[in-house]
Amino acid sequence: MFVIGERINGMFSETRRGIEERDKKIIQNLALRQLRAGADALDVNVGPTKGKAIDNMRWLVETIQEATDAPLCIDTPKFDVMRAALELCDNPTIINSTKASQDALDQYVPLAVKTSSSLIALTIDESGVPKDVDGRVAMGATIVTKAMEHGLPMSDLYIDPVILPVNVAPKQPAAVLGAINQLKLISDPPPNFVLGLSNVSQNCKERSLLNSAYVAMAVGAGLNAAVMDALDEQLMSVAITAEVLLEKQLYCDDYISAYLSNK
Ligand code: THG
């Protein structure tokens, strides 16, 4: 499982304060704690911070890169902010994200190819998030076709079938799993599959339990990456265990520590 730590996001009050007060220690500590807990990459999202998004994003990228050379996952819906961040990134980078409309794909897929970045593409277009499996599969097919057209290898493409909170959209968790199952079959080799896992439990009680149960189900459907809370030990252990049970990782008596120390 490719774990993208979610904590460097202005949605969290501690991170927001770090960005607004230009407090490098807060951000660098969050970066290192997530990597120590098993994150492979770090999501970088300015969220609802004061100031210009482009300045905040540039500062975040530079601040994190002073502390680590882990891959960054630049999380912004704004193309100019994305381009500015990619210019500063020294290491392999993930573009998070593009929508599945033709115009957006024609902008973002060439940007990924030109900058040798991976690309997360959401199954969202002008009409929003599809309500069912079929809508997601149709958009996933559009994304794969565009990636092939522009020469982006499937190993660099991550399809995100967009999970919504279970308390307001109770049919969506199952629809997302159905979409991953079907989309795995449309291309050989298949692309990667990613989710913003914590979305599923937003504004719910028992967040860790919901996230943990869902990650096990999603890994079973074919999920191989997630923007997730790497600092939640139970969640990380369940994700690793799900992979052991599908023989994506080898079992040994100490498989959790073996997995984490192999990072
Ligand atoms: N897909 C992709 N990227 C994404 C998402 C996605 N990036 C952003 C988001 N969705 C995933 N990251 C988060 C980060 C935080 C929360 C949810 C998803 C979250 N935050 C607390 C809340 O809203 O309750 C913040 C409050 C706090 O603790 O301070 O839940 O879907 N590709």
Side-chain angles (χ1 to χ4, degrees), residues 1 216 219-224 238-252 255 259:
M1 173 98 147
V219 165
L223 191 80
N224 63 346
V238 171
I240 297 162
T241 303
E243 290 207 323
V244 167
L245 291 169
L246 289 169
E247 214 189 350
K248 312 238 181 248
Q249 309 289 338
L250 272 189
Y251 176 85
C252 68
Y255 66 87
Y259 175 89

Side-chain angles (χ1 to χ4, degrees), residues 1 3 40 240 243 249 255-263:
M1 173 98 147
V3 175
D40 300 283
I240 297 162
E243 290 207 323
Q249 309 289 338
Y255 66 87
I256 304 261
S257 0
Y259 175 89
L260 293 174
S261 62
N262 268 337
K263 293 255 165 183

